[in-house]
Structures are given as C-alpha cells and as structure tokens.
Amino acid sequence: MKLFLGEKWYLDLPDGDRLCLLVNVPNTAITKDDVIVVVHGLAGAATDPSVVHIAEKFLSEGHIVVRVNLRGSGHGAGLAKNIYHAGHDIDFESVVAAVAERFNDKRVVLVGMSLSCNMMFRYLAKNLDAPVSRALALSPVVDLPIASQKLSHAYLGMINKSVLSFLKSYFVKRKRAFADTTVPDWDRIKKFYEFDELYIAPLFGFKSVADYYSSTTALPLIGDVKTPWTAVLSLDDPIAVSEKRIFKKKFAKNTIVLPSGGHLYFKKYGGLGEVAYKVFSQNNNS
C-alpha cells in the first residue's frame, strides 16, 4: 500500500515542547489488533525512506501506523526548544500513553531504529508496566562510543557527511524558531563523535563524552526489560558493529542476526519493512 502523509498529530509534552506524529489508517473496514509505532534513527524523520518502507508494509497488512518525529525533527521542526540525545527516553512515555489512550482497543507495538533503540530499551527498562505488547529493535545502536566512531568513518565517511549536513540544517531551523538557540561550532566539528564531545555532552551537563556515553547507554538495562522484544542485526552492519556480537551472546533468544543487510537496509530480504513484518508475524500471538 502506497503511503500518504497521513494525519499530523501534535502531541504536547510535559515541559511545553511538542512532537509531530504522523498517523496512517488502512482503507479497510476492520483493522488489525496491533497499532505500530515507528521511531526513526539519528538525524532522521518520520518521512525517511526506511521509516516509510516499514509503515507501508504494516499498513498494507491492515495495521494502523503511527510514525514519530523525535524533538525538532521532520514536521516537528520549530515545535521543540529542547533536543533529543541517545539517553532521551522520556518522550517515549508521552507517545506510548497517547497512542494507548487514543487507540484503546489496540495493542501497542514499538519499532525502534538504530539510535532510537537505545532510547526504547531505556524506556521499557524503566517502565515495566508500560502499555507495550511487543518491541522490535532494527539495527539497534546501544554500544555508543564504538558506534559513534564507526558512524564517523563508515562508507568512506559518507554517513558522517550526511549526518552532519542534516544537523547543520536542523540547527538552522531551530535558530529561526528559537533565537536563543546555542549553535555548535561547526568549524571544530568534522566527525559525528566530535558533535557529541563538543556539543551534546556539555549541553546536558555530562563531565565528558565518555561520561555521556556511559550514562546513557541502554546496555546495562536491557536485561531488565519485561516486554517481549526482538532485535534484528546484520553481520555486515558498519555501525552496529559490536552490537551484533553483544546481542547474540547476551540476548540470543531475542536476537536475529542476518548474513547481510548493512545498517537499516536488508535489500536482499525485501527491505526493512519486509524484514520487520516477517519478524513481527513469526512472534505475534494474535
């Protein structure tokens, strides 16, 4: 089913910021019992091709799909004065609560992508009674220092270039909406991990980038998660390099490691949407 923009759903957060969610409802008389909440990765948005591919697949199978723009991203540009980071899981509580209330006859399924998986696992570990029936972690990034370094150099630095380009655009929009926004010193930031080191860590009061990574990583918390979850990784992922080893060793029963697929790609298997839906279907009790 071809995805259209859908309904823009503006969600007020406790601190006064707002998120923009995109809601798609299938053109069927009866919808499936699970509403799918998809959260994009770093420097992404609800309209990213990878997010759209997932949404289109679940929508075609009769599921309501809610795509989340994290703070200031996508259609939420200019709506949030604060920004998100790897440990910023607090918005998941507002999103899930709102989705569960609005679609109170449905089960809520969370689909995290890349860095948002770190936030998702933190949220689920700290909210054991969260109204979430299932969670999917696609190419999860939780070993933050290694992933940050790998992202900065993967594919001959092309991902690093793309992410920094997005961030520069992101801050231009923020500055227009909020004149007092502190803009990173781009002359000093050439690699993504330098953005974490020179901007994110001091902005949020961490002692150093190492402190930021160790304080926000979800790794020590994943074992506490009670919500059924499945992680999907690939052996040739250039960013979630250590994650595939960690997940396979510590969380083998919850982990699927495919021979290829890169980072959020999986073209050989029909693409990200096909992989996500297949894993969901195999483990779904509905």
Side-chain angles (χ1 to χ4, degrees):
M1 180 179 293
K2 189 67 177 177
L3 193 69
F4 52 97
L5 181 62
E7 172 201 346
K8 291 181 181 178
W9 179 13
Y10 295 100
L11 181 62
D12 293 321
L13 299 173
D15 62 3
D17 277 353
R18 303 179 83 195
L19 299 182
C20 180
L21 317 181
L22 301 181
V23 183
N24 288 100
V25 179
N27 297 320
T28 55
I30 300 176
T31 56
K32 294 290 181 65
D33 292 335
D34 303 277
V35 56
I36 313 300
V37 179
V38 189
V39 189
H40 63 81
L42 173 69
T47 53
D48 286 356
S50 55
V51 179
V52 169
H53 198 259
I54 294 170
E56 286 182 338
K57 179 58 182 178
F58 279 93
L59 191 65
S60 70
E61 297 292 340
H63 292 275
I64 296 170
V65 179
V66 178
R67 290 173 284 155
V68 179
N69 284 297
L70 294 173
R71 292 195 187 217
S73 299
H75 290 87
L79 299 180
K81 188 169 186 177
N82 297 302
I83 65 176
Y84 68 90
H85 60 72
H88 199 247
D89 54 79
I90 59 174
D91 294 347
F92 275 74
E93 183 173 357
S94 294
V95 169
V96 171
V99 172
E101 179 179 8
R102 175 172 173 176
F103 303 103
N104 54 31
D105 60 334
K106 307 292 184 187
R107 297 185 297 250
V108 177
V109 174
L110 278 179
V111 180
M113 304 169 64
S114 192
L115 186 67
S116 70
C117 295
N118 192 80
M119 305 178 218
M120 181 178 75
F121 280 125
R122 284 173 55 91
Y123 161 69
L124 293 173
K126 294 191 292 183
N127 296 272
L128 299 181
D129 59 348
V132 178
S133 64
R134 292 275 310 287
L136 299 182
L138 305 176
S139 300
V141 167
V142 293
D143 193 356
L144 303 180
I146 294 179
S148 179
Q149 289 280 345
K150 294 297 182 182
L151 182 153
S152 299
H153 299 285
Y155 298 124
L156 301 177
M158 293 304 294
I159 295 180
N160 179 78
K161 182 178 180 180
S162 177
V163 169
L164 290 185
S165 176
F166 166 85
L167 289 172
K168 290 176 182 179
S169 175
Y170 175 89
F171 277 95
V172 168
K173 295 175 183 176
R174 286 182 52 76
K175 191 69 174 179
R176 288 175 186 160
F178 306 103
D180 59 346
T181 294
T182 301
V183 178
D185 183 354
W186 297 116
D187 290 336
R188 299 177 62 198
I189 298 173
K190 304 302 180 185
K191 302 293 183 184
F192 174 71
Y193 58 79
E194 293 171 339
F195 173 74
D196 282 345
E197 178 182 22
L198 299 175
Y199 187 80
I200 291 295
L203 179 67
F204 287 95
F206 296 103
K207 297 176 183 178
S208 64
V209 69
D211 179 42
Y212 162 52
Y213 290 147
S214 63
S215 299
T216 59
T217 177
L219 269 177
L221 305 175
I222 295 177
D224 297 332
V225 174
K226 302 302 180 185
T227 302
W229 62 270
T230 305
V232 184
L233 303 101
S234 65
L235 287 176
D236 62 352
D237 191 322
I239 298 172
V241 173
S242 59
E243 280 84 354
K244 52 201 170 193
R245 181 178 64 255
I246 293 170
F247 274 77
K248 197 170 183 180
K249 180 178 180 180
K250 293 187 175 182
F251 313 108
K253 67 177 183 179
N254 302 88
T255 301
I256 297 171
V257 180
L258 299 174
S260 63
H263 191 72
L264 296 174
Y265 194 47
F266 300 104
K267 182 178 180 180
K268 180 180 177 181
Y269 306 95
L272 196 59
E274 294 293 335
V275 168
Y277 188 76
K278 183 177 181 180
V279 172
F280 166 80
S281 300
Q282 289 176 341
N283 295 278
N284 194 33
N285 294 320
S286 62

